[in-house]
Amino acid sequence: MSFSKLYLKFFSKQKVGRQLTTLFCFIILLPVLVLSSVIYFFLSTQITNNYASLTEAKSSQIRSVLMATTLALNETYETIMRDETLQTLLMKSYTDENAAIDALSGYDTLDNLLKNQAALADIRLYIRQDNIPLSHNYAQFYPITEEIQAEEWYKQATSQRSNFWRSALYTSQNNAAPKSWALNYYCRIPLPRINSDAFLVMTVSNNHLKNMFRMGDYEVYLSVNEDSVFFSSLREASGNGFPMDISFSSAFHSESGKMKIEGTTTMAAVQTFRSNSTEDQFKILVTNPKAVPRLHRIELTVLLIGLSVLTVSAMLIYLYTIYFSARIQTLRLAMYKVSHNDYEIVNSIQGDDELSATFQDLKVMIAKLKETEAKIYKAQIKEQELSNQQQQMELKLLANQINPHFLYNTLEMIRMKAFSNGDRDVANAIKLLGKSMRYVLNNTKSTATTLDKEIDYISSYLQIQKLRFEEQMDYVIEIDDNLDLKSYQILPLLIQPLVENAISHGLADTEKNGRIIFKLYRTSNDLLIAEVFDNGCGMTQEKLADVIAHLDVPQNELEHGVGLYNINNRVHLFYGNEYGLHIKSRPGEGTQVTLTVPLLNLTEEET
C-alpha cells in the first residue's frame, strides 16, 4: 500500500480535532524544534567566535602598543648611553657637591626626553656617590644610597649585565600623587674610564597606555615575568598577581575564547611576547565580562522565541480545534432547523469530513435563502426608485424657485431705464452685475472654463468694486502677452475669490489709494501663475502663519470672508497636491497671494 493511501486512510478515520493535532506535530512542532536548534547552535557559535575575535584583536592592539613603547624606551636608552656629554659629565671628578650640582644643572637632555615623550612618566639616572658627590636628588639625577642598594631592582641590576623590565610601585618626584604600580625599564650605563656604572630607570606612563588602549567594555591586565600586574583597567587589580597561570615557553603565544578567570567564565584573550631588547616575557590578558552574559541572553532569547512560537501555535490549534468542532455541531443543527423552515441560524461550509453529512441540508437552505433574498431585493429596488423620484421632485422645486432669465430680464429693464434717464454709471453698473451673475450661474455646475472668460469675469468684478469704492481703491490687470487666453482652460470661479479676499480683507482699513494688482503669466515649465497683490495693512508673522496653517484645514470662524481653504482644496482635488496657494505678507506693506496650477491646453484636452 502506497504512502498516500496510508495517509488518506489514516486521516479519513480520524476526527477533525485529531487531524489538526497530527498536522501540528508534523508541520509545526518538528520543523520549529529543528530550526530553533540549528539557529541556536549556529548563532551561539557565530557570536562566540565574533566575541573571541574581537577580544583577540583588542589584545593584539595592546601588544602592538606595548611593543612600540618598549622599543621607544630602548631607543631612548641607546640615545642616552651614546651621549658623550653625559659620559664626560659622569666620569669627571668634582671637588664638592656644589661643583657637581653646577655641572649637572647645565645638562637638560633627560628633562627634554621626559617632556617630549608621552610614554614616559619618569626618568631617573642613579649615580654612585664616590663618582659624583650628591647627598640628595637633583633633577633626574639620584644618588645610589644605602636604601637604593637594598632594593631588589638594584641587586638585579648589579648582578647581571643586560637590561630588564620589572613591575614596581612608582612615586612621583614631588611625592604629590599617591603611589601606583607601573612598568620600569632598568638599564646599565657603563663608565669604562672610571671603571664604574650608572643606572637608568625609565617609568612607563599608565595614562599613556590607557589613552592608547581605548578599553571600552574590556578589562585589561598587563604584567611582566612573574611580577605583579603593573597596569589594569580595574584599579584594585594593579599590584596583585596575574589573574591566570601562564606557562608559555615560546617567544610569542596567543589564545582566545571562553576562559575561567578567578572562578568566572568570561570571554578572554591572552598573549605573551618577549621584549626585543631583553629576555623578559610580557603577559597580556584582555577580558570582556559582558560578552558571556550577552551570549546567554541571546541564547535565551532564541529559546524563548522557539517556545513562544510553539506555545502560540499550540494554543491557536487548540482553540481552532474547539471552535471548528463546535461549528460542525452547530452547522448540523442549523441545517436540520433550516430543513424544517427554521431560519434563525445561517452558515455554510465545504469539505470531505464531518461537514459532508450536511451537504443536502445546505442545498435546501441555499435554495430557500435565494428565494427570500430575491423578494427582499425586489422590494428594495422599488423603495429606492420611489426615493429617487422624490429627490428629483425636490430638486425641481428648488430650481424653480430662482429663474435666471427673470433676473436677467429684470436687470436689463432697470439698466435701460437708468440709461434713458441719463444715469450712465448706474446703467453700466447694472450691466456689469448682470454679466457677472450670468457667468456665475452658467458655471456653477461646470468643471472648466476658458481663461478669457474667467479674466473677463474678474475684470467685471473689479469694475463694480471700483464704482463702489471710487478713490478708495484702484486696480491693474497684467496679462502675459505670450498667453493665448482662449486656448487654455481653468476651474471656473477659482481666481476671483482671491481678488475678492484682497479687497474685503487687504483693503478693509484703507481709506484712500488702495491698489489691487492682478498678474497672470506662464512659466517655462508650463505652469499658470496668478498673483493677486494688495497694498493694504498686511499681516503679522503670527497671523500669516495662522492663515497658512489653515490652507489645508477649514476654519470655523465666519469673519475671515472668502475661504482660502476652499480654493486650495479645489486645486488639490482637481490638479493634485503639488499645486495650490502661496502667501506672502508684511505689516504695513501688503499681501500677495500666488496661485499655481498646470497650464491645460483646451485643444489638447479635446484631442
Side-chain angles (χ1 to χ4, degrees):
M1 187 178 294
S2 63
F3 175 78
S4 58
K5 292 182 178 180
L6 289 174
Y7 175 84
L8 293 174
K9 183 178 180 181
F10 172 79
F11 275 93
S12 63
K13 295 182 178 180
Q14 304 297 322
K15 291 190 176 181
V16 173
R18 185 168 294 180
Q19 291 181 25
L20 293 175
T21 303
T22 305
L23 289 175
F24 169 75
C25 293
F26 285 97
I27 297 178
I28 298 179
L29 180 61
L30 288 178
V32 168
L33 287 176
V34 173
L35 185 61
S36 298
S37 300
V38 172
I39 293 175
Y40 177 86
F41 176 77
F42 175 78
L43 202 60
S44 177
T45 303
Q46 187 67 31
I47 294 175
T48 300
N49 293 337
N50 289 343
Y51 273 124
S53 299
L54 290 173
T55 309
E56 185 176 8
K58 175 58 69 173
S59 66
S60 297
Q61 176 200 357
I62 294 173
R63 177 175 58 83
S64 299
V65 172
L66 269 181
M67 291 181 69
T69 303
T70 57
L71 286 173
L73 264 63
N74 190 65
E75 290 177 0
T76 301
Y77 158 69
E78 296 288 346
T79 300
I80 294 173
M81 189 178 68
R82 291 192 299 266
D83 190 350
E84 294 181 359
T85 303
L86 179 62
Q87 290 283 335
T88 302
L89 189 65
L90 295 179
M91 290 187 288
K92 184 179 179 181
S93 298
Y94 301 95
T95 57
D96 55 22
E97 183 176 5
N98 291 331
I101 291 176
D102 289 339
L104 296 177
S105 63
Y107 185 79
D108 59 355
T109 300
L110 297 180
D111 184 58
N112 291 335
L113 287 172
L114 182 60
K115 292 178 180 178
N116 296 328
Q117 290 196 21
L120 279 176
D122 195 6
I123 183 170
R124 301 180 183 184
L125 185 61
Y126 289 88
I127 54 180
R128 299 184 188 274
Q129 289 176 308
D130 53 358
N131 295 339
I132 299 179
L134 282 181
S135 61
H136 61 278
N137 305 338
Y138 178 75
Q140 275 71 43
F141 297 93
Y142 287 69
I144 300 177
T145 62
E146 292 182 358
E147 182 180 356
I148 295 298
Q149 294 176 2
E151 293 187 4
E152 291 297 326
W153 72 265
Y154 183 79
K155 295 177 181 179
Q156 183 177 350
T158 55
S159 64
Q160 66 183 51
R161 303 300 298 176
S162 60
N163 300 337
F164 60 92
W165 297 86
R166 290 195 62 171
S167 302
L169 275 172
Y170 164 70
T171 306
S172 61
Q173 294 183 11
N174 54 14
N175 294 320
K179 292 182 178 181
S180 60
W181 284 88
L183 177 64
N184 287 344
Y185 188 32
Y186 300 94
C187 308
R188 179 192 294 268
I189 299 180
L191 305 173
R193 283 189 290 174
I194 60 174
N195 194 23
S196 182
D197 298 293
F199 298 95
L200 181 68
V201 180
M202 291 181 284
T203 303
V204 178
S205 171
N206 282 344
N207 288 332
H208 169 73
L209 295 179
K210 184 176 181 181
N211 292 334
M212 294 295 291
F213 293 162
R214 297 180 181 177
M215 291 168 287
D217 293 337
Y218 297 96
E219 294 179 0
V220 179
Y221 304 86
L222 304 180
S223 180
V224 59
N225 299 324
E226 301 302 325
D227 292 352
S228 302
V229 173
F230 65 82
F231 177 86
S232 176
S233 55
L234 301 177
R235 182 175 298 178
E236 62 273 12
S238 297
N240 295 332
F242 202 69
M244 64 181 300
D245 294 330
I246 297 179
S247 57
F248 304 141
S249 58
S250 59
F252 171 78
H253 184 86
S254 178
E255 184 179 322
S256 62
K258 287 184 181 179
M259 300 181 187
K260 183 161 284 190
I261 308 297
E262 295 180 342
T264 303
T265 301
T266 184
M267 193 65 64
V270 59
Q271 289 195 17
T272 63
F273 70 93
R274 293 190 187 280
S275 171
N276 291 335
S277 57
T278 69
E279 292 299 320
D280 299 301
Q281 186 183 54
F282 285 89
K283 297 184 287 188
I284 302 170
L285 174 63
V286 178
T287 66
N288 188 344
K290 296 182 179 180
V292 174
R294 286 174 180 169
L295 178 61
H296 289 165
R297 285 197 295 270
I298 293 173
E299 293 173 345
L300 181 61
T301 301
V302 173
L303 290 176
L304 290 177
I305 290 174
L307 290 175
S308 300
V309 170
L310 291 177
T311 302
V312 172
S313 302
M315 184 63 68
L316 291 176
I317 291 295
Y318 174 74
L319 294 176
Y320 183 74
T321 301
I322 296 176
Y323 167 74
F324 196 61
S325 299
R327 284 181 63 231
I328 294 173
Q329 300 302 325
T330 303
L331 185 58
R332 295 190 66 174
L333 178 61
M335 293 301 99
Y336 177 80
K337 291 182 178 180
V338 169
S339 64
H340 291 78
N341 297 323
D342 186 354
Y343 307 114
E344 293 183 1
I345 300 175
V346 178
N347 206 340
S348 62
I349 196 168
Q350 294 178 352
D352 296 325
D353 46 25
E354 292 93 337
L355 299 182
S356 59
T358 61
F359 182 74
Q360 295 301 322
D361 293 338
L362 179 61
K363 292 201 305 184
V364 174
M365 180 190 70
I366 292 175
K368 292 184 177 180
L369 282 177
K370 285 183 177 180
E371 182 182 352
T372 303
E373 287 177 356
K375 293 179 180 178
I376 295 174
Y377 183 70
K378 290 180 181 179
Q380 289 177 345
I381 290 177
K382 290 182 179 180
E383 183 179 356
Q384 186 63 40
E385 289 176 350
L386 293 174
S387 177
N388 292 340
Q389 292 175 1
Q390 181 67 24
Q391 290 179 358
Q392 291 176 1
M393 292 176 64
E394 292 175 356
L395 289 174
K396 290 180 180 179
L397 290 175
L398 289 174
N400 290 332
Q401 290 178 1
I402 299 177
N403 190 331
H405 296 289
F406 171 75
L407 291 176
Y408 300 151
N409 294 335
T410 302
L411 287 174
E412 181 64 18
M413 179 193 69
I414 297 173
R415 187 184 74 83
M416 294 302 298
K417 194 167 186 178
F419 185 80
S420 62
N421 291 334
D423 198 341
R424 295 181 176 272
D425 290 339
V426 174
N428 186 41
I430 294 173
K431 179 181 178 181
L432 292 173
L433 178 61
K435 186 178 180 181
S436 298
M437 291 182 63
R438 183 182 298 273
Y439 178 80
V440 172
L441 291 174
N442 289 342
N443 289 278
T444 299
K445 295 184 180 181
S446 61
T447 58
T449 186
T450 56
L451 281 175
D452 62 328
K453 294 180 181 179
E454 182 76 5
I455 300 305
D456 185 58
Y457 170 59
I458 294 173
S459 177
S460 300
Y461 175 79
L462 287 171
Q463 292 180 56
I464 295 173
Q465 295 295 341
K466 176 64 177 175
L467 291 173
R468 175 187 174 191
F469 293 105
E470 296 182 348
E471 295 183 357
Q472 185 178 349
M473 67 153 284
D474 198 358
Y475 67 90
V476 175
I477 298 178
E478 298 180 5
I479 307 298
D480 189 352
D481 294 336
N482 297 323
L483 190 62
D484 187 0
L485 300 180
K486 294 182 179 181
S487 299
Y488 298 97
Q489 60 182 7
I490 193 174
L491 284 176
L493 303 173
L494 188 65
I495 304 177
Q496 183 273 340
L498 300 179
V499 179
E500 181 180 348
N501 204 62
I503 296 174
S504 60
H505 294 286
L507 303 181
D509 298 329
T510 302
E511 297 180 357
K512 194 174 184 181
N513 296 326
R515 191 174 181 84
I516 299 294
I517 299 176
F518 171 65
K519 295 182 179 180
L520 188 70
Y521 58 93
R522 67 184 295 177
T523 64
S524 58
N525 55 345
D526 287 335
L527 293 179
L528 182 67
I529 307 296
E531 295 180 354
V532 180
F533 170 78
D534 68 80
N535 64 345
C537 59
M539 292 183 284
T540 63
Q541 293 297 319
E542 292 78 8
K543 177 63 178 177
L544 178 61
D546 181 65
V547 172
I548 294 175
H550 284 89
L551 286 178
D552 296 315
V553 180
Q555 301 187 69
N556 295 326
E557 297 85 350
L558 298 177
E559 62 270 13
H560 291 289
V562 178
L564 297 179
Y565 162 78
N566 292 331
I567 303 172
N568 201 48
N569 189 47
R570 288 181 67 197
V571 172
H572 287 174
L573 290 175
F574 190 81
Y575 298 107
N577 291 332
E578 63 268 28
Y579 306 102
L581 297 178
H582 179 70
I583 305 175
K584 295 189 295 184
S585 182
R586 289 185 179 178
E589 296 183 12
T591 302
Q592 176 177 302
V593 180
T594 303
L595 171 67
T596 303
V597 296
L599 193 60
L600 301 180
N601 191 297
L602 185 60
T603 304
E604 293 178 356
E605 290 296 320
E606 290 175 353
T607 304

